[in-house]
Amino acid sequence: MKLFISSIIFFILASPINAKQQAAVAMPDRFSAEIAEQVLKEGGNAVDAAIATAFSLAVTLPEAGNIGGGGFMLIYKDKKAQFLDYREVAPLTAHRDMYLDKNGEVIENLSLIGVKSSGVPGTVAGMWQAHKKYANLSWKKLLAPAIELASQGFIVPKHLADEKERVSKIFAGKKGINFEKYFSQLKTGALFKQPELAETLRRIAEHGPDGFYRGKTAQLIVEQMKKSGGLISKQDLDEYRAVWREPVSSDWKHYQIISSPPPSSGGTAVVQLLKMKQLLEKQFSGVPHNSPQYIHLLAEIEKRVYADRAKYMGDPGFLEVPVSKMVDSDYLKRRADEVNPDRISISEKVKPGLKESTQTTHYSIIDQWGNAVSNTYTINLSFGSGLVVEGAGFLLNNEMDDFSAKPGVPNAFGVVGGKANEIAPRKRMLSSMSPTILLEGERVKVVVGSPGGSTIITSVFQTLVNLIDFKMSPQNSVDVSRVHHQLLPENVIYFNPELPTKTTQKLQDMGYQLEENYLGDVQLVVRQKNGLSAAADARGRGESRVINWD
Ligand code: DON
């Protein structure tokens, strides 16, 4: 009898079903929060909600949500972690020096604006794979809210109208851009309809990936390429595949962290940062959050992580990325020992350490069964290449800029690379996207991720440290000032929002240069003792919800 009772107690404690039957979402806008809640309430799981969200953001968050880009989805379902890589690939006719002029210099903006900046999109193939493997609800049902928002329109939030104004100035006067033709009506409070996009979404709803990679949509993409001088061919579209991968996984404190493997640098880098901070426990002990000393120590470990990133990381289909060596505790101990707690290590001397040989969006979901999705996807910078596929109504990405156009030359995010991340046909460009899940035993404790290019890594890292080490509330963990250093530019620390003048002054005295810069809006879901909570970063226009069943 005793045994019977204790096994019932064990069963209740270990049950994946939340005691309260709850779900929670942290979304980058109000429309997606509404749709994700609806899907979960209708019996959809976290993956269903993630798919419906991806398509709805392609309509209401056009600066980053997409069908013309790609991304990563980390799924934890039925106690098993799976990573879906739907990153864009370089077209078949792409080549290493395609962004260099006759003198071998990088041609300004070629990998960033217009038709030549786009990789072959992966989002639709990714959502289809996720649906095939995990979904409860029908594909058509999950696309329906996006189709409605595109055809009936939505009221433009101020945040989106402001972003459009900012980007219009960047695209103004650039050749081959049809951005204004499609987005000039993005004005605060206006009803914004996208009939061509609605038709494309209907084709996808009807025919699955064939509605995008084949038939009319494919034809419209190829025609656009011909008209504007782009590279993506019928064959590129036909042969695009999303790939299932093993996530990066590591112990951290009493948690297991799972995150993005190559072709993202993100998961590996987040693990390196968390572990190095832990190895430097003594140096961090008693050091207050965001104090000059704290920011200096973070910059010291970040220097080393970004040096490794530049040297070793790229598409694992093209080179062997030494992930297990990079997260090995002995290796990280050696790296952590190089940190100088009193002075800035000279950037030039911070070499990769192994003995060898603005726009993305993220959302986090936990469903009523305890399954989780952490999804980051992107068309790279805000509104991608600025080129809309005419007749199909969606923006193409400018993800090709994530390759290293020339060894040592920084990309739009100021990060450098070399051979590991040079351009090759079919190759996936190196990413920093870090959709991450923290497990406590077999239960999901945290789901987190962020946009922000190379700053994604340090945003995810600091959010976890704020939440776990500093025991901040979820909302405070995402909202509080964050800092970022990435080896280059030398001795520059970015911050957002502001830091006290006292702090910046002290850091300047040490030799740092402080600059306020964009850092991404983190979306966080956390399981706490009394149930789930969720936080959308005040930096964006996100909304979080905890959904209760009674
Ligand atoms: O994959 C990457 O790392 C970048 N293309 C992400 C771009 C991004 O986060 C822009 N965000 N604001």
Side-chain angles (χ1 to χ4, degrees), residues 168-373:
S168 280
K169 294 190 188 103
I170 300 172
F171 289 144
K174 302 283 185 320
K175 265 210 330 235
I177 298 296
N178 56 9
F179 179 71
E180 288 301 329
K181 179 170 163 192
Y182 280 86
F183 293 107
S184 62
Q185 295 313 306
L186 278 180
K187 299 209 168 92
T188 309
L191 180 69
F192 185 63
K193 295 185 181 182
Q194 300 170 84
E196 289 181 4
L197 178 59
E199 280 308 308
T200 303
L201 291 168
R202 281 196 189 102
R203 286 192 291 276
I204 296 168
E206 192 61 36
H207 306 292
D210 284 357
F212 185 86
Y213 294 96
R214 284 158 212 100
K216 179 151 185 209
T217 313
Q219 191 191 322
L220 289 166
I221 297 172
V222 172
E223 273 167 20
Q224 188 68 53
M225 292 293 128
K226 286 207 178 110
K227 193 161 137 194
S228 309
L231 302 185
I232 300 172
S233 66
K234 197 164 172 286
Q235 187 185 354
D236 281 317
L237 293 167
D238 193 47
E239 294 179 359
Y240 180 85
R241 296 288 177 271
V243 182
W244 290 102
R245 300 187 189 277
E246 276 301 306
V248 165
S249 166
S250 175
D251 293 335
W252 176 60
K253 306 200 152 178
H254 71 283
Y255 302 106
Q256 186 191 354
I257 175 161
I258 46 179
S259 192
S260 48
S264 180
S265 61
T268 310
V270 169
V271 170
Q272 287 187 309
L273 289 171
L274 288 171
K275 280 186 151 181
M276 269 204 266
K277 178 174 179 286
Q278 203 184 356
L279 286 162
L280 291 168
E281 210 176 353
K282 250 207 234 135
Q283 286 82 339
F284 274 100
S285 157
V287 176
H289 181 259
N290 277 358
S291 62
Q293 182 62 10
Y294 180 75
I295 295 171
H296 167 64
L297 287 172
L298 291 195
E300 281 287 292
I301 58 179
E302 287 164 1
K303 266 196 164 76
R304 288 158 176 89
V305 167
Y306 282 86
D308 280 2
R309 179 192 190 277
K311 174 76 181 170
Y312 304 122
M313 304 205 79
D315 181 344
F318 285 71
L319 74 154
E320 209 171 303
V321 185
V323 173
S324 52
K325 288 186 193 160
M326 294 171 79
V327 299
D328 175 75
S329 296
D330 291 340
Y331 168 62
L332 292 173
K333 168 94 178 57
R334 185 156 59 76
R335 294 293 266 171
D337 284 347
E338 293 164 14
V339 164
N340 187 330
D342 305 317
R343 272 194 311 280
I344 305 176
S345 303
I346 298 163
S347 298
E348 261 175 35
K349 294 201 172 149
V350 179
K351 302 280 181 226
L354 281 183
K355 288 195 182 118
E356 334 152 274
S357 50
T358 74
Q359 184 72 320
T360 299
T361 191
H362 176 88
Y363 48 92
S364 298
I365 305 171
I366 295 184
D367 69 17
Q368 61 268 46
W369 298 282
N371 306 311
V373 166

Side-chain angles (χ1 to χ4, degrees), residues 18-38:
N18 303 316
K20 278 190 187 167
Q21 205 187 358
Q22 279 187 315
V25 300
M27 292 285 156
D29 77 356
R30 181 172 70 73
F31 304 104
S32 50
E34 181 74 43
I35 288 166
E37 172 168 359
Q38 199 57 35

Side-chain angles (χ1 to χ4, degrees), residues 87 358-360 378 380 399 402 413 431-433 452-453 456 518:
R87 181 75 161 162
T358 74
Q359 184 72 320
T360 299
T378 186
N380 199 22
E399 219 74 60
D402 275 350
F413 293 104
S431 173
S432 300
M433 291 188 285
I456 291 172
Y518 161 81

